[in-house]
Amino acid sequence: MNILLHGATNWGSSNFGDVIYADQVARHIARIADGAIVQIAEPSEFVSKWMPSFVAKGISISHADALVYIPGGYFGEGHSSGLLNNLIHFLRFFPVGLRAVWSKVPIAIIGIGAGPINSLLFRLPIKSICSHAEVITVRDHESYVALRELGILNVTEAFDLILAMDLKSAVKPCGKIRALRMRYPNKKMLFVHFNHSEIASEMFASAVVKFMKAHPEYLVITGFDQVFKDAEERMQRYLDRVPDAHVIDYEDPYELVDVLQQCDCVLTCKLHVGVVAAMFGKSVVCAAEHPEKTQRFFNAIGQGERCASLYSANENDVMGMLQRFNDVPIIIPDELYESAMKSWRLLDTFLESIG
């Protein structure tokens, strides 16, 4: 059985959440579907190097027994996206699915985020792909509504599939964060994650400098969750403002999982750095680069006040969230972990049906 996986692991991607999704789903399918050959569609260079056993298998749509869209927030438009961004988004995510529709290849869509879906570049292909899909699970109620409004009826509302993944067992120890723990045993750790956003970099730097004056018990850690060509320059601009920060380089997603489980508080502009930290019971505050999808998660876990839009917040808002929540861990309700398991179960049923 040849299984092709597709998601946000193409076009140069090395993004933390997307790569973990791909790895965990690929390993799950290979484990439960005896003899299955699993391949990531259009893998980025990072994915090809990091997941060599799931690339270059020679599976095309015409030779696939199934296409599985892996989790991600790409069944909808980005924040303030224009025509060009929508066109790029279309080319990145939908041609593989449309070829599967035309070739009558069974499709499963697992744990995706959907909406807003206003542009015809999104409405037509999403409706076509979803109408052909035998299984669709979405990670929040807003995604469920977005697809139902397109006339897609076979949608199951689950929760973010990452909650159903055993990331503790997959952790790879990060030497630098563990050395810092040993060197500063009495310090708490604040992980600051501004990624590629210059807005977040400047805002977070200003807020963190103020926060550290009020909370000298914290050590500041910072790092990216993907690979950037100009990472050193981006980081240096931040370090010019927060010179005491300790930098963790991004090389392996499961080492970043270790960083998150070692830290006490996380300030981020991205979704899945915050989700994984919350899974480990850490305090998380977020000024979201993609507020539409990120706010959904914080609302669902009953922690909506920990999240603001990066585009309407300021350094005082970030400082206020840090002051209020830095020592208050997140506890994700048990029923959301159970909800996340729905996607695994429905994926397994789908694989059985085509086996």
Side-chain angles (χ1 to χ4, degrees):
M1 182 164 58
N2 295 328
I3 309 295
L4 194 62
L5 307 186
H6 187 41
T9 47
N10 58 359
W11 287 44
S13 175
S14 55
N15 182 61
F16 172 66
D18 295 313
V19 175
I20 284 180
Y21 279 143
D23 181 64
Q24 291 282 316
V25 172
R27 291 178 185 276
H28 178 84
I29 293 174
R31 184 170 60 251
I32 69 155
D34 187 37
I37 299 174
V38 183
Q39 176 182 296
I40 309 295
E42 304 175 347
S44 67
E45 182 179 357
F46 181 91
V47 170
S48 295
K49 289 181 178 179
W50 192 72
M51 299 176 59
S53 60
F54 297 113
V55 299
K57 300 291 187 180
I59 303 174
S60 64
I61 284 294
S62 60
H63 294 96
D65 295 296
L67 172 67
V68 177
Y69 269 100
I70 62 177
Y74 47 83
F75 271 53
E77 299 162 54
H79 181 76
S80 300
S81 58
L83 179 59
L84 179 59
N85 286 336
N86 285 347
L87 179 59
I88 292 171
H89 193 106
F90 168 86
L91 292 173
R92 184 177 178 188
F93 296 116
F94 301 132
V96 171
L98 291 173
R99 289 198 296 271
V101 173
W102 297 330
S103 300
K104 295 182 172 55
V105 174
I107 297 175
I109 301 171
I110 301 298
I112 54 97
I117 310 173
N118 299 314
S119 169
L120 285 178
L121 280 171
F122 288 68
R123 295 180 67 85
L124 296 178
I126 288 175
K127 185 168 184 177
S128 176
I129 293 167
C130 288
S131 297
H132 182 76
E134 297 181 21
V135 173
I136 305 171
T137 69
V138 294
R139 66 190 186 192
D140 49 57
H141 184 66
E142 292 86 349
S143 298
Y144 176 85
V145 171
L147 293 185
R148 295 282 294 191
E149 288 179 346
L150 273 185
I152 308 303
L153 302 181
N154 62 324
V155 185
T156 299
E157 183 179 340
F159 199 60
D160 197 320
L161 181 59
I162 203 165
L163 266 66
M165 298 175 181
D166 184 11
L167 297 186
K168 285 186 178 180
S169 296
V171 161
K172 292 182 180 177
C174 174
K176 188 163 186 178
I177 195 70
R178 297 198 176 204
L180 287 170
R181 269 294 185 200
M182 293 181 65
R183 184 179 175 186
Y184 300 99
N186 298 319
K187 288 278 192 179
K188 295 180 179 179
M189 290 187 176
L190 169 65
F191 182 68
V192 181
H193 172 239
F194 55 85
N195 222 49
H196 58 273
S197 171
E198 290 297 331
I199 299 173
S201 176
E202 294 181 11
M203 187 187 301
F204 289 3
S206 297
V208 166
V209 168
K210 291 180 180 179
F211 179 77
M212 292 303 295
K213 290 179 179 179
H215 294 273
E217 72 273 19
Y218 273 92
L219 195 70
V220 178
I221 316 297
T222 191
F224 299 126
D225 76 342
Q226 59 193 100
V227 176
F228 297 108
K229 291 182 180 179
D230 59 347
E232 291 185 9
E233 292 84 353
R234 291 174 187 270
M235 187 58 72
Q236 189 56 55
R237 288 195 291 271
Y238 175 80
L239 294 175
D240 288 342
R241 304 185 67 180
V242 191
D244 294 332
H246 297 266
V247 180
I248 302 292
D249 296 324
Y250 180 78
E251 296 180 356
D252 188 304
Y254 291 122
E255 288 187 354
L256 180 54
V257 173
D258 190 39
V259 172
L260 296 174
Q261 76 168 351
Q262 296 293 330
C263 288
D264 300 282
C265 181
V266 172
L267 168 62
T268 181
C269 65
K270 296 282 290 298
L271 175 59
H272 281 99
V273 163
V275 172
V276 173
M279 289 170 63
F280 286 112
K282 308 302 179 178
S283 174
V284 181
V285 295
C286 181
E289 182 184 27
H290 299 289
E292 294 86 356
K293 67 178 184 180
T294 307
Q295 188 70 58
R296 297 177 187 180
F297 170 77
F298 284 92
N299 289 345
I301 65 172
Q303 299 288 337
E305 293 178 319
R306 292 177 183 258
C307 183
S309 169
L310 182 63
Y311 309 103
S312 59
N314 57 44
E315 65 184 75
N316 291 326
D317 297 322
V318 173
M319 172 63 174
M321 289 191 293
L322 284 172
Q323 284 278 63
R324 181 178 177 186
F325 294 112
N326 76 89
D327 204 27
V328 183
I330 287 177
I331 300 175
I332 298 176
D334 289 342
E335 58 265 27
L336 295 181
Y337 286 96
E338 177 58 30
S339 177
M341 289 296 298
K342 292 179 186 177
S343 289
W344 278 146
R345 289 195 287 266
L346 288 172
L347 175 60
D348 292 353
T349 300
F350 169 77
L351 294 171
E352 291 173 3
S353 72
I354 64 170

